Amino acid sequence: MPNNVQTLARAPKMLPLVLALAAAAIGASRASAEPQVADFKLANGLEVVVLPDHRAPIVTHMIWYKVGAADETPGKSGLAHYLEHLMFKGTVKNPGNTFSQAVAAIGGEENAFTSSDYTGFFQRVPRDHLKEMMAFEADRMTNLVVTDAVARPELQVVLEELNMRVANNPGAQLDEQMDAALYLNHPYHRPVIGWRHEVEKLNYQDALDFYRRFYTPNNAIVVVAGDVTPDEVKADAEATYGKVAPRVQIGPRLRPTEPIQEAPRTVTLADPRVEQPYVNRYYLAPSSTTAKPGEAEALEVLANVLGDDSNSRLYKTLVLDKGIALNAGAVYSDTALDYGKFSVYAAPKPGVSLHTVEAGIDAVLADVIAHGITADELDRAKTGLIADAVYAQDNQETLARWYGAGLATGETVDQIRTWPDRVRAVTAAQVQAAARQWLDIRRSVTGYLVKSLKSEESRS
C-alpha cells in the first residue's frame, strides 16, 4: 500500500484525521461521556486546549508550532525537521538530554514529529508531572542552545534517517516524485525530510534563524488530554508558558498557490528492490480548511465508499469480482493548511499488468461519477466514520493529535468538535458532486512502482 504519510522523525505513523472526537454527534444520551473541551489563550498569545479524561492518572501534553516544511526558505528543504532534532539538545538551564532523562525517570514517554504545516513535541506522563513538562517546554521554546559542535553530528543523524526512510525505500521515493509532480507551484512539492543535496548544506545558523523566526508562544498551541481540569491546566500554563514573552510578531502564512492544472502527469519508478508493484494516483483536492462547506466531508465519505475496507467499491470490484488485484483502496488526506490530496491505489496480482489494474480503477471512478453511490453505501460509510470517531476517545494521544493538527492547519475548536454532525449531513448528491469536481484526471499524478531487472549504479 502506498505511503501517504508526511509526518517524520520521532513520530509514529499519524492516525488519519477521520479519528475525530465525535460523541456530541452520537446523541444526547451519550452527552455525559463527552470530554468537556476547554480552549483559552494566554496573554502572550499561546493557545491552550484541554481534553479532560479521568479514567487514569495520566496526561498527554503536546505543543504544536505552526510551522513546517512548507514554511522553509527555498533551497533549505528539511530545515523544519532538522530543527526538530536539535530541540532535544538542551538549554542553559537544562543542558543536553536533561529533559529526556526527566521524562524517562518518571516512566513517561516522549516523541516529536514534523509535517508540511506544523512541528510538534509531546510527553505522556503521570498527571502530577504536567507542570514540570510545561516548564521544560517553555524553557526550550526560547532558550535552546545550538552550536556547530552539536548541530554537525546531528545532521549526520538526519542524513542517515533520510537514507533509511527514502533512499532505501522505493515506495517512499515514488511518493516524493509524485508530490513533486502534483504541486506545480506550492511548497508542498518538497519532501518534509528534505532533498538530500539541500539537507547536506544545512548548518546550525540556519536552524537558529528558523527557530528565532517561528518558535514563540504566539505561534504555538498546547493541547493537554488526561486526568486534569481546565482550571488546573490554566494555572500551570500561566505559571510556565505564561512567563515566556513573544519573540516576534507572526503574520499570515501566505504561500504560492497552484495554477490551473491542465494536464495529467505520470511517474514511473523502477527499482530491483521492489517486491510488490502497484499503481497509485494523487488528485489535487481541497483541505478541510480550504474546502467549501460540506465538501471535505463529502470527500471523506467518497474515500470510505471507494476504498476503506473489503466492502469498498475498489476492493470488491478489483480484488473479489475481477480478481485482478491483491489490494485496492482510497484515502483522502485533508489535514493541511492549503491543499489536500485524494488518493486511489491498487496492487496487481502476479501476471496482471499495472495498466490493467489502472483501467479497473478508472472504470470504478467513472461509474461513481456517472451514477453516484447507493443509499446503503452512504449509510455504511457515515456510520463507520462516526463509529471510528467514538472509538478514538479511548486514546488520549489520538484526541490530542486530532485537535492539535486541526488547529495548526486553520480549523477552530468548534469546527473540530462538530465534524461528526457535518459527516452525518452529507448526502449522496454531495458525494457524487465531489467526485465529479475533484476526480479530474487533469489535476492528477499517476505513479507506477515497478521492479527493474538490474540495479542502477548511479543510485546509492
Side-chain angles (χ1 to χ4, degrees):
M1 176 176 171
N3 173 21
N4 294 312
V5 178
Q6 289 190 321
T7 301
L8 292 178
R10 299 168 182 260
K13 185 173 181 179
M14 186 173 178
L15 293 175
L17 189 59
V18 67
L19 299 179
L21 174 62
I26 302 304
S29 63
R30 296 179 181 159
S32 61
E34 295 178 29
Q36 300 302 305
V37 182
D39 178 33
F40 55 88
K41 278 193 175 183
L42 303 186
N44 59 12
L46 179 75
E47 184 171 7
V48 182
V49 176
V50 186
L51 305 167
D53 175 6
H54 302 293
R55 291 172 297 176
I58 301 294
V59 294
T60 297
H61 168 247
M62 287 187 164
I63 182 164
W64 302 69
Y65 292 96
K66 291 184 279 187
V67 59
D71 302 294
E72 295 162 343
T73 302
K76 296 186 183 294
S77 63
L79 183 54
H81 173 233
Y82 182 36
L83 176 58
E84 178 220 306
H85 276 245
L86 295 175
M87 286 288 285
F88 288 85
K89 297 305 177 181
T91 65
V92 172
K93 182 178 180 181
N94 298 294
N97 62 351
T98 300
F99 189 173
S100 295
Q101 287 178 336
V103 174
I106 58 177
E109 300 173 357
E110 65 171 347
N111 218 316
F113 45 87
T114 305
S115 82
S116 291
D117 293 310
Y118 50 76
T119 307
F121 306 83
F122 76 88
Q123 304 83 38
R124 182 175 171 85
V125 297
R127 69 177 308 281
D128 293 340
H129 293 274
L130 173 61
K131 186 176 180 181
E132 180 184 359
M133 298 300 106
M134 288 184 166
F136 274 121
E137 286 289 13
D139 178 42
R140 71 175 173 183
M141 179 182 283
T142 55
N143 298 317
L144 184 67
V145 174
V146 178
T147 64
D148 185 60
V150 169
R152 190 179 296 273
E154 195 62 29
L155 185 62
Q156 297 308 309
V157 174
V158 171
L159 289 169
E160 182 54 37
E161 183 181 343
L162 195 152
N163 285 337
M164 179 184 68
R165 291 180 175 270
V166 182
N168 295 324
N169 186 335
Q173 292 176 25
L174 178 63
D175 288 343
E176 280 193 351
Q177 297 299 313
M178 290 178 65
D179 278 337
L182 180 66
Y183 301 105
L184 303 176
N185 194 45
H186 192 276
Y188 286 168
H189 62 207
R190 57 179 175 249
V192 173
I193 202 167
W195 299 115
R196 185 180 185 90
H197 69 287
E198 293 183 346
V199 175
E200 290 174 336
K201 297 178 182 179
L202 297 177
N203 58 53
Y204 81 99
Q205 193 60 55
D206 293 327
L208 274 177
D209 290 345
F210 198 72
Y211 171 73
R212 290 166 179 162
R213 180 181 174 191
F214 292 108
Y215 278 57
T216 178
N218 49 323
N219 197 40
I221 304 157
V222 167
V223 182
V224 178
D227 189 21
V228 291
T229 67
D231 288 343
E232 290 172 331
V233 173
K234 188 172 185 178
D236 288 346
E238 288 178 337
T240 54
Y241 289 115
K243 296 180 179 180
V244 180
R247 191 199 305 270
V248 293
Q249 293 301 313
I250 300 295
R253 301 169 80 181
L254 302 177
R255 298 164 173 169
T257 57
E258 282 297 298
I260 296 174
Q261 297 193 356
E262 299 287 3
R265 283 129 284 159
T266 61
V267 176
T268 301
L269 191 142
D271 194 289
R273 297 167 295 181
V274 171
E275 297 296 330
Q276 175 58 61
Y278 62 75
V279 58
N280 189 17
R281 182 180 297 154
Y282 292 167
Y283 291 93
L284 188 68
S287 68
S288 290
T289 305
T290 59
K292 297 176 182 177
E295 197 169 45
E297 295 76 24
L299 285 167
E300 195 73 75
V301 172
L302 176 62
N304 189 282
V305 169
L306 284 174
D308 183 65
D309 55 27
S310 60
N311 289 316
S312 68
R313 284 276 190 107
L314 286 169
Y315 192 94
K316 286 197 298 185
T317 302
L318 304 184
V319 178
L320 301 180
D321 296 342
K322 293 186 176 182
I324 60 174
L326 297 172
N327 194 13
V331 178
Y332 171 46
S333 304
D334 63 337
T335 312
L337 184 65
D338 297 317
Y339 296 98
K341 184 164 60 180
F342 196 99
S343 309
V344 291
Y345 61 88
K349 281 189 173 180
V352 177
S353 72
L354 289 177
H355 293 294
T356 297
V357 171
E358 182 184 5
I361 292 174
D362 287 335
V364 171
L365 301 185
D367 183 64
V368 170
I369 291 171
H371 304 108
I373 63 174
T374 68
D376 286 345
E377 286 176 323
L378 178 67
D379 291 342
R380 184 169 60 248
K382 293 197 291 186
T383 299
L385 290 171
I386 295 173
D388 284 345
V390 174
Y391 299 147
Q393 293 182 68
D394 288 332
N395 189 306
Q396 286 181 9
E397 184 182 334
T398 299
L399 289 179
R401 279 179 176 270
W402 186 71
Y403 270 88
L407 291 168
T409 53
E411 294 186 81
T412 66
V413 167
D414 189 59
Q415 287 173 324
I416 297 168
R417 187 165 40 203
T418 59
W419 177 84
D421 291 324
R422 299 195 303 277
V423 168
R424 176 171 283 131
V426 171
T427 66
Q430 285 178 304
V431 175
Q432 185 178 15
R436 286 174 174 169
Q437 173 73 22
W438 297 109
L439 300 185
D440 183 342
I441 195 67
R442 294 173 299 176
R443 291 196 295 261
S444 76
V445 175
T446 303
Y448 308 101
L449 185 67
V450 300
K451 186 177 183 67
S452 63
L453 298 179
K454 60 181 180 179
S455 61
E456 299 174 51
E457 294 180 0
S458 62
R459 177 171 294 160
S460 60

